[in-house]
Amino acid sequence: MNVQVTGVIVVGAGGAGLTLATELALVGVPAVVLDRLPGSNLQSRAGAIQPRTAEMLALRGLLDDALGRSIDYRLVGGHFAGLPVPLDYAAWDTRYPHPVLLPQDQLEAVLEDRLAELGGQVLREHRLTGMQQDADGVTITATAPGGELSLRGRYLVACDGAHSSVRKIIGADFPGEAATVRMGTADLLLTGDVDDSSSGHISSRIHTSPQGHFAMITPLANGLHKLIFSGPQTMLAERDAPVTPAEVREVLRATHGGALDVAEIRYSSRFSNASRQLEQYRHGRVFFAGDSAHIHSPAGGQGLNLGVQDAFNLGWKLAAALRGDAGEELLDTYQSERHPVAARVLALTRAQGVIMGPQREGGLGELRDVLTDLLRLPEANRYMAGVMAGLDLCLPSPDAEAHPLLGLRMPDLDLLLDDGERIRFSDLTRSGRGVLLDLGDTPLAAAAAPWSDRVTHVRARAEAAGTGAEAVLVRPDGYVCWAGGAGLTETLTRWFGPGRPRG
């Protein structure tokens, strides 16, 4: 059997896998994506992208397509545990201060379209059956429509979900907490008094019953609605059991009286509040991203966003290693940067699960009231908005001189170039390279020249309030790793590898 060779093998064509493959293809790194399903998953699944994910899609010119596929419904702010206080994302100076109601299948369609434009593809109906790694790479076998496939790559990234085959083959522990709540989700046609208002806060769409039923209904396209639900019957159902109209009717009757009924279930699935995380995201030449690395309840709409942001962090680092620009030190920052982010999300989703439950005993009702009052305080609201939107992340950059912007996401400034052209900062990041933005009169061209094959140097002026720095160095994933002062050469070397003399 012939062994095909590629740079990176990506297992799983969900949000994380497609983002990673697209990032690699953008900078010319060959990758092969394998997925066990015969076609794209058409169920909506995750329903929204948070502001930081929207910003990252804008960095690659993908956001306009995503917005064109989004649901014509504006969520008024974010939420924590469904409490009736909108989280004010605008306090974080983002162009996208509202969650975007974008079903996961539509985001995946955007990513797969871009991957195809870049010459990549997804190999469907390819199920991983074996894997071996050595000091130089990873070899896998998979069943495929034409027989068995053998494929070798320098690295493999497992993006194959909560029940990851890669994780099982490696034998990696997946510690955490087992499920205590079982839930279902369905894309369905409803009849009756359906709330189709075009805006509102998510808290207005959450309904519970004293018997433990939960229902949250949001609009989809073509007259469909997405229902996330639970109840006594759902709690007893097996994970692979089909969702039935009778089960849905029981929940709707308990939470909405006789106002709603189900006419047709198009797609459905089950999930739980199990909370688990790998201790190590890297096992030799195998990396884990998305649900294969961490699972949690969907409270707060974090899962898809977390996986996509994993991929944005890992993609450019793998590309640098494959090009020979960087070594193990850069790859190791994936673990140190992304593991704590997911750990915090797991903690927050567990807390929200308690607060969102139907229980009122034990002071939980009073706790909800206290938290609601706290979230009405501007400082507390801003803090939680930054956490839930992914806008507050600050990454270490040890070689750079201290600055208030250091380690934070780069604002998408309106810029005026030397030739008079007006652009946004995100227009400079479409290629997936780093950006050294000179906003003052510091002569940086000579200093940046040895990295000109990896870092774009641009002179510009900010048209409004700037960054407070005369120059900034921004990583491909949009985080500031240097903001003026000492340490530019050291920072360039740390994140982009040794410079090359320019002839």
Side-chain angles (χ1 to χ4, degrees):
M1 179 171 53
N2 292 329
V3 179
Q4 299 181 31
V5 178
T6 189
V8 179
I9 302 168
V10 180
V11 182
L18 290 171
T19 300
L20 182 72
T22 301
E23 286 288 281
L24 294 170
L26 183 65
V27 293
V29 172
V32 173
V33 184
L34 309 178
D35 196 88
R36 63 181 179 82
L37 296 177
S40 301
N41 187 336
L42 300 179
Q43 186 178 358
S44 62
R45 291 162 290 150
I49 58 172
Q50 299 286 359
R52 182 56 188 153
T53 304
E55 290 180 343
M56 288 182 145
L57 295 174
L59 293 176
R60 299 296 184 261
L62 293 166
L63 185 60
D64 285 346
D65 190 5
L67 292 176
R69 297 170 183 256
S70 64
I71 305 302
D72 186 19
Y73 179 88
R74 172 158 290 194
L75 291 167
V76 178
H79 78 94
F80 177 76
L83 296 173
V85 183
L87 298 180
D88 182 11
Y89 293 153
W92 285 87
D93 189 26
T94 177
R95 291 184 184 272
Y96 314 105
H98 306 281
V100 177
L101 200 60
L102 180 70
Q104 183 170 341
D105 65 309
Q106 294 303 306
L107 175 59
E108 290 172 359
V110 170
L111 293 166
E112 192 164 357
D113 286 351
R114 176 58 61 89
L115 181 62
E117 290 173 8
L118 295 169
Q121 63 173 329
V122 178
L123 301 181
R124 301 284 181 183
E125 292 186 270
H126 282 61
R127 185 183 294 272
L128 187 71
T129 55
M131 183 182 71
Q132 292 183 328
Q133 62 171 311
D134 52 47
D136 299 315
V138 182
T139 301
I140 64 103
T141 54
T143 59
E148 191 171 74
L149 168 75
S150 184
L151 184 63
R152 181 168 176 81
R154 292 272 303 280
Y155 297 97
L156 181 145
V157 184
C159 302
D160 54 340
H163 306 283
S164 169
S165 297
V166 176
R167 197 176 61 233
K168 292 173 182 175
I169 290 172
I170 286 180
D173 289 336
F174 202 31
E177 297 183 3
T180 59
V181 175
R182 300 185 184 279
M183 304 187 73
T185 180
D187 299 348
L188 41 69
L189 285 171
L190 292 171
T191 59
D193 187 14
V194 183
D195 180 5
D196 275 327
S197 56
S198 60
S199 66
H201 190 243
I202 201 70
S203 59
S204 67
R205 294 183 172 272
I206 296 173
H207 297 263
T208 60
S209 81
Q211 295 76 36
H213 298 89
F214 173 95
M216 183 173 73
I217 300 172
T218 52
L220 296 173
N222 302 319
L224 293 174
H225 288 79
K226 176 187 180 72
L227 170 68
I228 298 175
F229 65 94
S230 188
Q233 187 175 337
T234 305
M235 286 288 290
L236 297 174
E238 296 294 330
R239 183 173 65 86
D240 295 327
V243 173
T244 66
E247 181 182 2
V248 171
R249 285 193 181 100
E250 179 199 349
V251 173
L252 293 177
R253 190 178 303 113
T255 57
H256 290 73
L260 294 177
D261 195 9
V262 55
E264 179 185 354
I265 297 175
R266 294 280 178 86
Y267 307 102
S268 63
S269 57
R270 297 183 186 274
F271 60 93
S272 75
N273 68 338
S275 181
R276 301 184 182 277
Q277 183 181 22
L278 283 173
E279 292 180 353
Q280 296 294 324
Y281 285 7
R282 181 181 186 184
H283 292 249
R285 288 185 168 267
V286 177
F287 292 83
F288 290 85
D291 287 352
S292 68
H294 41 71
I295 60 170
H296 53 84
S297 86
Q302 301 293 300
L304 173 63
N305 295 272
L306 194 60
V308 168
Q309 291 176 38
D310 284 348
F312 269 108
N313 184 287
L314 180 59
W316 66 276
K317 296 173 181 178
L318 277 176
L322 285 161
R323 291 193 305 255
D325 295 332
E328 298 303 308
E329 297 82 2
L330 181 61
L331 291 177
D332 287 343
T333 64
Y334 173 62
Q335 165 79 18
S336 62
E337 291 180 353
R338 293 305 299 171
H339 191 279
V341 175
R344 182 171 71 164
V345 168
L346 265 64
L348 284 168
T349 54
R350 287 195 294 267
Q352 291 178 86
V354 173
I355 297 164
M356 294 177 77
Q359 306 91 340
R360 288 287 166 180
E361 66 277 4
L364 278 175
E366 289 79 3
L367 176 60
R368 292 185 185 97
D369 293 340
V370 170
L371 290 173
T372 298
D373 288 341
L374 281 173
L375 289 176
R376 292 194 174 105
L377 300 176
E379 289 188 9
N381 192 292
R382 184 181 187 277
Y383 168 80
M384 192 55 70
V387 170
M388 299 301 290
L391 296 171
D392 72 332
L393 182 60
C394 186
L395 301 176
S397 190
D399 299 306
E401 187 173 309
H403 186 277
L405 191 60
L406 189 64
L408 301 177
R409 67 191 226 286
M410 176 65 185
D412 194 10
L413 301 176
D414 290 308
L415 300 172
L416 181 64
L417 301 182
D418 284 349
D419 63 4
E421 182 183 1
R422 285 179 165 81
I423 63 168
R424 293 179 177 180
F425 174 77
S426 57
D427 294 325
L428 302 174
T429 62
R430 303 292 176 85
S431 65
R433 294 157 51 97
V435 176
L436 179 59
L437 179 61
D438 184 352
L439 294 164
D441 298 317
T442 307
L444 295 175
W451 289 270
S452 61
D453 58 332
R454 288 154 279 170
V455 177
T456 301
H457 173 231
V458 177
R459 286 181 53 85
R461 295 288 184 273
E463 293 213 77
T467 63
E470 289 198 350
V472 290
L473 177 63
V474 184
R475 304 182 345 174
D477 55 358
Y479 289 91
V480 176
C481 55
W482 176 83
L488 176 58
T489 298
E490 293 82 359
T491 302
L492 282 162
T493 303
R494 173 179 291 274
W495 298 111
F496 299 99
R500 298 187 178 96
R502 310 306 295 174

